[in-house]
Each structure stands twice: as C-alpha cells, then as structure tokens.
Amino acid sequence: MKCATVLGMICLLTACAGDPATHADAMAQPAGLQREQVQTGAFLLTSYARITRTDQPLTVYIEGDGMAWRSRNRPSDDPTPHHVLGLSLAVADTSANVVYLARPCQFTPMSVNPRCAVTYWTDKRYAEEVVASMNAAVTQYLRRLPGQRVNLVGYSGGGALAVLVAARRQDVASLRTVAGNLDHAAVNRLHQVSPMPDSLNAIDVAQRVATIPQLHVSGADDTVVPPSVARSFVAAVGPCAQLRIVDGMAHESDWAARWPGLKAIALPCS
C-alpha cells in the first residue's frame, strides 16, 4: 500500500463529530443548496445545487480529497470529508446559480457506486475517469442553463480537478482555486510520500488553460500545499493567472469567511 499524502492525513485532525452527510445538509440548506445525485457513467456523484436564474452563469465548486487516509499507511474506508471546506465556499457564494460537487465516492453510498474502490481516493484521485466524471457533471448542470458559461472553483485537491476539467472545456468563464494542489508531483516530493503516476497533474495542462481568467489563492501559513506550488502554476500559465497569498491562513483555515472578498477580486484577461 502506498504511503498517504499529508493532504489526506490532515482530515483526521479537523474531523467534525457526527454523520458527515447530516452535517453537510445542515450547512447547505440555509443557503438554498439542495442535495442531488448525478449519474456520470463511471460514478454516481453527490451534489448540492441552487439554480434560480437561467440568464446567469453557473458557478461550480469542487471538494477537496476528503478523508482519504486514516494513517500514513492505512487508507480510509470512506473518503467522505468531515470538514467540508469546498461546501463552505459554495455556501458563502450568493450567486444565482451555484453547484457543489463532491468527489467520487464521497457522500454517495458505496452500494450504489460499484466503481468505488480505495484507489480512487488514494493514488488515482485525479485519474482520467475521475476527471471525466466531474466534467460530465458540469455538462449536465449547464444543460439547465442553455447558452451560459461556467465559473470553476476548487478547494485543495478539488483545485487540481477544476484545472483539469477546465482544460477540456470551451465554456469556462473563470477558474479559481483555494489552497489548490496544482502540482501533486511537487507536493508529494515535498512531503516525501509516494508519487501518483495514475493521476493527471494540473500543472501539465497549464498552457491549455492559459487564456482563462484565473485566481489562485494560497495561505501564507499553509504547510500542506505551500504557496510555492501556486506560484509555480501561475508562472506556467502566464498573464491570465493571478496569485493571492493570504497572511495568517493555513490549509484548513476558515476560507469561507474570506471568500466573498477573494471572489470579488478582478481577474486578469476578463
């Protein structure tokens, strides 16, 4: 069994007590986000959605890696996050059309998700079939909004998937990441854990997203995905990407409290 990344292990330190699905429902409902399920072929994904204006674009939030590991050498039986920072960002967004996408095997019962296997929240967390699944979910929601474009937002490992999804679409209006794992090879080298050769790497498609207006936010105190990772990605993208390093913020700080202000930052090339 491959070693866990620190990205997975950090979830152990901040897990909320109780049932994660009940906790997520309680977070989402006051914001008008309703739980749904999206069949994407490979995976049945859990989502929370609020779509109220067909004349407005869609903003999609992608969750982080969740409860991937129980210890450095022992993967979790269920990757559902107990500390849903991706969902907290979606809750903080007052836009008309907001969708939160959980990752494959998160929140959705394994009994109705036969493709789920440990490998999809360990070494294949950004594999081709995972990216294709997330991309298919985005397409399904955009069908409810004919002619509209999508703003993609990803937290932590969800940032990697937001980039990888953006690289295969022509309708992305903007791309934002928060504490994004934009180069998993560099992050794994940093923490001296096993590489993930079966996962796609966001930094490898930097030039394919080079014309999309972007903001990549990193915490100055983040030791899990340090600011150097976002800095290297922004340099690889070029002038349409902006880096914002936030003082006093770590990987799992209260990003939702900062999100309205960060989301309002004008993007280059927009």
Side-chain angles (χ1 to χ4, degrees):
M1 179 61 65
K2 294 185 177 182
C3 293
T5 65
V6 173
L7 290 172
M9 293 166 61
I10 194 170
C11 298
L12 297 172
L13 304 178
T14 56
C16 298
D19 175 52
T22 300
H23 175 63
D25 287 345
M27 287 178 60
Q29 287 172 0
L33 293 163
Q34 299 299 315
R35 178 193 285 263
E36 300 181 357
Q37 289 187 325
V38 187
Q39 182 62 63
T40 62
F43 300 101
L44 181 67
L45 301 179
T46 291
S47 64
Y48 288 90
R50 181 184 70 239
I51 297 180
T52 63
R53 292 277 301 271
T54 58
D55 62 336
Q56 296 292 321
L58 175 67
T59 301
V60 173
Y61 289 82
I62 302 177
E63 188 56 80
D65 293 341
M67 187 83 166
W69 295 85
R70 291 193 173 277
S71 68
R72 187 173 179 85
N73 297 299
R74 182 186 173 195
S76 172
D77 296 329
D78 183 342
T80 299
H82 290 232
H83 193 46
V84 278
L85 278 168
L87 179 57
S88 73
L89 297 176
V91 167
D93 190 333
T94 59
S95 302
N97 304 318
V98 173
V99 168
Y100 161 83
L101 292 177
R103 300 275 289 280
C105 314
Q106 295 179 354
F107 293 107
T108 310
M110 300 294 178
S111 59
V112 296
N113 230 353
R115 284 290 299 275
C116 277
V118 170
T119 189
Y120 286 116
W121 57 88
T122 54
D123 56 313
K124 295 180 71 174
R125 65 187 69 175
Y126 317 127
E128 167 60 32
E129 54 267 43
V130 173
V131 179
S133 179
M134 307 303 287
N135 188 45
V138 172
T139 296
Q140 289 191 44
Y141 275 107
L142 275 175
R143 287 181 185 141
R144 302 189 193 180
L145 302 164
Q148 295 298 329
R149 304 183 76 196
V150 62
N151 303 296
L152 294 173
V153 184
Y155 165 71
S156 190
L161 288 173
V163 171
L164 292 164
V165 168
R168 57 187 65 190
R169 303 189 67 90
Q170 302 300 315
D171 53 7
V172 178
S174 68
L175 174 62
R176 295 174 174 86
T177 69
V178 176
N181 186 1
L182 303 175
D183 184 353
H184 66 71
V187 171
N188 287 2
R189 285 196 302 269
L190 173 68
H191 296 296
Q192 299 182 341
V193 296
S194 300
M196 300 188 295
D198 294 325
S199 284
L200 303 176
N201 198 356
I203 200 165
D204 293 340
V205 300
Q207 279 302 296
R208 287 166 56 187
V209 299
T211 61
I212 300 174
Q214 299 174 43
L215 174 67
H216 301 283
V217 180
S218 181
D221 299 336
D222 192 341
T223 59
V224 178
V225 183
S228 59
V229 175
R231 185 177 291 111
S232 294
F233 183 83
V234 166
V237 171
C240 288
Q242 179 181 169
L243 171 65
R244 181 64 60 96
I245 299 174
V246 184
D247 289 338
M249 298 296 281
H251 196 71
E252 289 202 336
S253 291
D254 185 6
W255 285 107
R258 301 289 190 99
W259 186 236
L262 291 168
K263 186 174 179 289
I265 294 172
L267 302 184
C269 302
S270 59

